[in-house]
Amino acid sequence: EILDAIVESDYAVIDAIYVVVELQETTQSQVNEVEAVMNIMEEVIAIVNPILQDTTVEEYNAMIDLIFGQITIQLEMQNQLYDTDISYNTEMLDIIGYIETGIKNTSVNQLNIFKDLMSLMVESNYISDFSDFVDNGNIGSESDEYYGAMILLANAYLEFYNDSENDINAVIDETMNVLSEADIRVELDLTSTDLEEIETTINSFFTDSVSQANIIKDYDYNNLTSTQKANVDVFVSTFGIIIFGIMM
């Protein structure tokens, strides 16, 4: 289906990737590269979204079965090649089984999250608006356009989180259940205190990032006070890992 969609789009996503490669091989500005990457995102979303929206839970679980089936085969082949301890092999298979079960227990939630994210990108102007900020200023500096882009990201994040909060919480809860399995705790050397800290860290990220996004979401990027700029910077630092991934 993806290959058919690429052909039907007259290979637009391939052309977009080629543009990025060309820019990286020349002395074009970072602004042009970011804009080109945004274009790839739009083309990829246009191809993947219709397929994803039609994907059923049964199909999603079949994909999970395929992935974990391959992982199990690779592990067994590795054990045969390197004559790994049988007891260790059994423990690893048990751990993989716990992870697969955890993923399947939240497959509905994961699929909802993916569909919500794709729908948001398709039905909103977030990507094109972000591209406009890139076109109109130096997104890597503390220009008005930089703050505008970060405020835009805060709004996109809030809209996504509000749509997906219940599903995100379900995935977090199941993740903690998997990490609490005795075999996994032994393999990862996790204590009860470690588990509490992991859960606190995850929950704090969402609590802090949502709170800070709500603070800055209505700011006018053309007329920011020093306090407002500081608040945007706090959001950026809270949300830094994801922003760094986008900017790279």
Side-chain angles (χ1 to χ4, degrees):
E1 289 182 41
I2 290 176
L3 289 174
D4 289 342
I6 291 174
V7 173
E8 289 174 7
S9 69
D10 198 23
Y11 301 97
V13 67
I14 305 299
D15 291 339
I17 293 171
Y18 182 72
V19 169
V20 172
V21 173
E22 274 193 321
L23 289 172
Q24 290 177 339
E25 292 176 352
T26 64
T27 57
Q28 296 293 326
S29 70
Q30 183 183 11
V31 170
N32 289 335
E33 285 191 34
V34 174
E35 183 182 0
V37 170
M38 294 295 104
N39 188 39
I40 290 178
M41 288 179 61
E42 289 181 318
E43 296 295 345
V44 169
I45 290 171
I47 290 172
V48 173
N49 181 61
I51 298 171
L52 180 60
Q53 298 303 332
D54 288 339
T55 300
T56 65
V57 175
E58 291 74 19
E59 291 169 334
Y60 187 70
N61 280 329
M63 182 185 70
I64 294 171
D65 287 337
L66 179 63
I67 292 171
F68 278 90
Q70 290 296 318
I71 291 174
T72 301
I73 290 172
Q74 290 295 324
L75 178 62
E76 290 175 345
M77 290 177 60
Q78 182 176 349
N79 289 334
Q80 291 176 5
L81 287 171
Y82 298 103
D83 194 24
T84 308
D85 189 332
I86 294 177
S87 62
Y88 177 77
N89 180 34
T90 302
E91 291 172 1
M92 288 305 299
L93 288 173
D94 287 343
I95 289 173
I96 291 171
Y98 293 135
I99 296 172
E100 181 178 8
T101 299
I103 291 175
K104 280 193 168 182
N105 285 345
T106 56
S107 59
V108 173
N109 307 103
Q110 295 166 45
L111 194 53
N112 286 342
I113 290 171
F114 295 143
K115 288 183 177 182
D116 286 345
L117 181 58
M118 280 293 180
S119 294
L120 177 64
M121 294 297 99
V122 169
E123 296 168 6
S124 70
N125 295 319
Y126 287 125
I127 294 179
S128 60
D129 288 347
F130 190 92
S131 294
D132 288 342
F133 281 122
V134 173
D135 289 340
N136 295 327
N138 185 352
I139 206 67
S141 69
E142 294 189 0
S143 62
D144 288 345
E145 289 76 18
Y146 164 79
Y147 285 107
M150 297 304 103
I151 293 167
L152 179 70
L153 180 60
N155 280 274
Y157 174 57
L158 285 173
E159 189 170 347
F160 164 69
Y161 185 79
N162 289 336
D163 288 340
S164 304
E165 180 178 4
N166 291 336
D167 292 309
I168 290 172
N169 288 337
V171 172
I172 293 172
D173 290 343
E174 186 61 27
T175 299
M176 297 312 304
N177 288 337
V178 171
L179 290 176
S180 297
E181 291 286 351
D183 290 342
I184 292 182
R185 290 181 60 178
V186 170
E187 181 65 24
L188 299 179
D189 193 23
L190 294 174
T191 65
S192 297
T193 301
D194 292 331
L195 290 172
E196 290 174 2
E197 289 178 354
I198 291 171
E199 187 169 16
T200 298
T201 299
I202 294 172
N203 289 329
S204 293
F205 166 76
F206 285 107
T207 300
D208 295 345
S209 58
V210 168
S211 175
Q212 201 62 33
N214 273 308
I215 291 173
I216 71 172
K217 66 183 179 66
D218 295 320
Y219 284 175
D220 177 3
Y221 74 92
N222 284 311
N223 190 29
L224 293 174
T225 66
S226 57
T227 299
Q228 289 174 328
K229 287 183 177 181
N231 286 337
V232 174
D233 291 338
V234 171
F235 170 73
V236 172
S237 63
T238 303
F239 211 65
I241 294 176
I242 297 177
I243 292 176
F244 179 75
I246 292 173
M247 298 302 290
M248 292 299 290

